[in-house]
Amino acid sequence: MKVLGIETSCDETAAAVVEDGRRLLSNVVASSMDLQAQYGGVVPEIAARSHIEAILPVIHQALSDADCTWDDIDAIAVTHGAGLGGSLLVGVMTARSLAIAHGKPLYGVNHVMGHVYANFLTSSALPGYAMPAQPPQFPMLAIIVSGGHSQLALFEDHFNYQLLGRTQDDAIGEAFDKVAKILGLPYPGGPQVAAAAAKGNPLTFTLPKAKMGKYDFSFSGLKTAVLRLAQAQIGETHEFASTKLAARLSEAQKHDIAASFQRVAIETIVDKARLAYDEFAPVSVVVAGGVAANAELRRQLVAALPLSIEFPDLKLCTDNGAMIATLGCFHVKTGQPADDPYALGIAPNLSM
Ligand code: KG4
Ligand code: ZN
């Protein structure tokens, strides 16, 4: 069974073909990131316009890389939420049209759940993908760490899960992006902060860890603490503009601030993951979302959890069509009802 996955929730236009929820046949991603970087973040109108230009070539490339014609495709899965309204509309309308034109069942799927399902891929027809040997098993603890979401979910089975906790304010990826701005690092901030942190000493500064409910997180206080720390480092008060800080900080100060922030942000997640592991004894633990690419997160998790964790390939951590196609395969496999291609809507605020 082959499913075409389409993803356009933010600034990546992506499509992929996955077979049986296990095997990656193609994975094409076109990003408007270079365009967005000029503005220091995602401009929704630019993202939507870029999707319109890229979507059909990206889908055709995904089919051709997978050596497929439309006859080979059993279903289409598309992200219908959460995400930017204009961006989601382009993907959903394209998927609806293609489903009608080619007579394929259509599944609107949840983007955040898609990140979790990237972990079910175990083989690739494409070169350069490191895949785990086995898919995760249930009960499965999912540590979801993306630009828009930070949550812990315990899956008893496919589509049967409980949310243990979530962020009460910023997502962890958002905190990385905001700290990047304070340090004058370009968008997207996460990988840049990680690179700066690799050159610094994570023990230089003590930053606060928020006290929250058992499995809940908060990152907004940490972000403010980084701002105050940066102001104090150059001998300025709370009034000093955050946009002018980077020019006054030395490279060494930036590296140490990035490293100290990253250590605490990652510890916040890992501490709660360990608590959940002890309480629920999951057979598998998976990490999902853009921050799953973070090397310090991987290092701390390996040290904290007494089971072996298979991390997804870096190319499958940030937004991609493969995760959507994989999730689509499991919608089909578990007999979830298909959506009406004449009616499927977008759900910008969809949560798990
Ligand atoms: O999952 P994703 O691609 O998009 C959302 O669904 O939100 O996550 C993007 C987020 C951004 O905030 C980006 O800065 C962060 O993931 N990110 C990282 C790294 N790579 C991407 N954060 C920390 N370390 C990284 N290596
Ligand atoms: Zn995402």
Side-chain angles (χ1 to χ4, degrees), residues 139-160:
M140 170 182 90
L141 176 67
I143 304 167
I144 300 165
V145 281
S146 76
H149 300 263
S150 301
Q151 51 204 39
L152 290 177
L154 186 70
F155 282 72
E156 291 298 337
D157 201 347
H158 293 294
F159 306 107
N160 174 8

Side-chain angles (χ1 to χ4, degrees), residues 99-120:
I100 293 165
H102 297 286
K104 307 292 176 186
L106 175 68
Y107 294 84
V109 309
N110 181 316
H111 177 84
V112 178
M113 186 93 97
H115 276 299
V116 174
Y117 272 76
N119 286 283
F120 283 86

Side-chain angles (χ1 to χ4, degrees), residues 9 12 111 115 145-149 173-174 176-177 188-191 194 262 289-291 293-295 317-319:
S9 67
E12 266 95 18
H111 177 84
H115 276 299
V145 281
S146 76
H149 300 263
E174 212 177 334
F176 268 87
D177 295 338
Q262 177 176 261
V291 186
N294 186 277
C317 289
T318 43
D319 293 348

Side-chain angles (χ1 to χ4, degrees), residues 8-40:
T8 64
S9 67
C10 191
D11 59 349
E12 266 95 18
T13 316
V17 180
V18 166
E19 188 170 17
D20 295 332
R22 277 193 282 263
R23 186 165 168 77
L24 182 65
L25 300 183
S26 65
N27 190 30
V28 180
V29 181
S31 175
S32 60
M33 211 175 264
D34 295 351
L35 223 51
Q36 312 285 358
Q38 299 171 24
Y39 301 91

Side-chain angles (χ1 to χ4, degrees), residues 32-344:
S32 60
M33 211 175 264
D34 295 351
L35 223 51
Q36 312 285 358
Q38 299 171 24
Y39 301 91
V42 177
V43 181
E45 287 77 7
I46 294 181
R49 211 177 312 139
S50 302
H51 287 311
I52 291 173
E53 285 169 12
I55 187 122
L56 288 177
V58 163
I59 290 171
H60 288 149
Q61 189 68 46
L63 290 174
S64 126
D65 289 358
D67 222 358
C68 284
T69 66
W70 281 106
D71 286 344
D72 302 313
I73 298 297
D74 296 289
I76 299 174
V78 62
T79 302
H80 75 124
L84 299 168
S87 292
L88 290 168
L89 262 181
V90 179
V92 167
M93 286 312 187
T94 306
R96 282 172 53 170
S97 311
L98 291 170
I100 293 165
H102 297 286
K104 307 292 176 186
L106 175 68
Y107 294 84
V109 309
N110 181 316
H111 177 84
V112 178
M113 186 93 97
H115 276 299
V116 174
Y117 272 76
N119 286 283
F120 283 86
L121 285 166
T122 50
S123 80
S124 172
L126 306 171
Y129 281 82
M131 297 282 185
Q134 298 295 329
Q137 289 178 293
F138 300 108
M140 170 182 90
L141 176 67
I143 304 167
I144 300 165
V145 281
S146 76
H149 300 263
S150 301
Q151 51 204 39
L152 290 177
L154 186 70
F155 282 72
E156 291 298 337
D157 201 347
H158 293 294
F159 306 107
N160 174 8
Y161 62 87
Q162 57 163 316
L163 269 190
L164 302 178
R166 56 165 21 128
T167 181
Q168 299 300 305
D169 39 60
D170 295 350
I172 183 168
E174 212 177 334
F176 268 87
D177 295 338
K178 287 177 176 168
V179 167
K181 280 203 166 171
I182 294 171
L183 300 180
L185 302 170
Y187 175 85
Q192 300 278 343
V193 171
K199 297 181 205 151
N201 175 0
L203 299 175
T204 312
F205 302 112
T206 308
L207 290 162
K209 261 192 227 170
K211 302 253 181 304
M212 305 299 293
K214 194 165 183 192
Y215 295 118
D216 287 332
F217 314 110
S218 160
F219 290 102
S220 122
L222 176 58
K223 171 201 67 191
T224 308
V226 168
L227 175 61
R228 300 290 175 248
L229 170 63
Q231 289 163 328
Q233 283 300 298
I234 57 162
E236 293 287 352
T237 67
H238 292 183
E239 261 93 84
F240 190 81
S242 65
T243 47
K244 295 189 182 145
L245 277 168
R248 299 262 306 270
L249 288 164
S250 70
E251 286 307 295
Q253 280 172 321
K254 288 182 191 173
H255 298 160
D256 289 340
I257 293 173
S260 302
F261 156 76
Q262 177 176 261
R263 176 178 60 81
V264 174
I266 298 294
E267 272 174 17
T268 305
I269 299 282
V270 174
D271 290 352
K272 307 266 168 161
R274 173 71 211 213
L275 269 184
Y277 179 85
D278 290 342
E279 182 169 350
F280 299 104
V283 176
S284 296
V285 174
V286 299
V287 192
V291 186
N294 186 277
E296 176 64 10
L297 174 67
R298 294 176 174 217
R299 190 191 66 72
Q300 284 196 25
L301 274 177
V302 167
L305 297 181
L307 83 175
S308 87
I309 304 180
E310 302 270 18
F311 293 99
D313 190 280
L314 292 185
K315 296 181 281 304
L316 300 175
C317 289
T318 43
D319 293 348
N320 62 83
M323 66 189 204
I324 301 306
T326 307
L327 176 54
C329 287
F330 284 95
H331 274 263
V332 177
K333 276 187 176 198
T334 59
Q336 309 283 317
D339 285 295
D340 180 351
Y342 291 94
L344 177 66

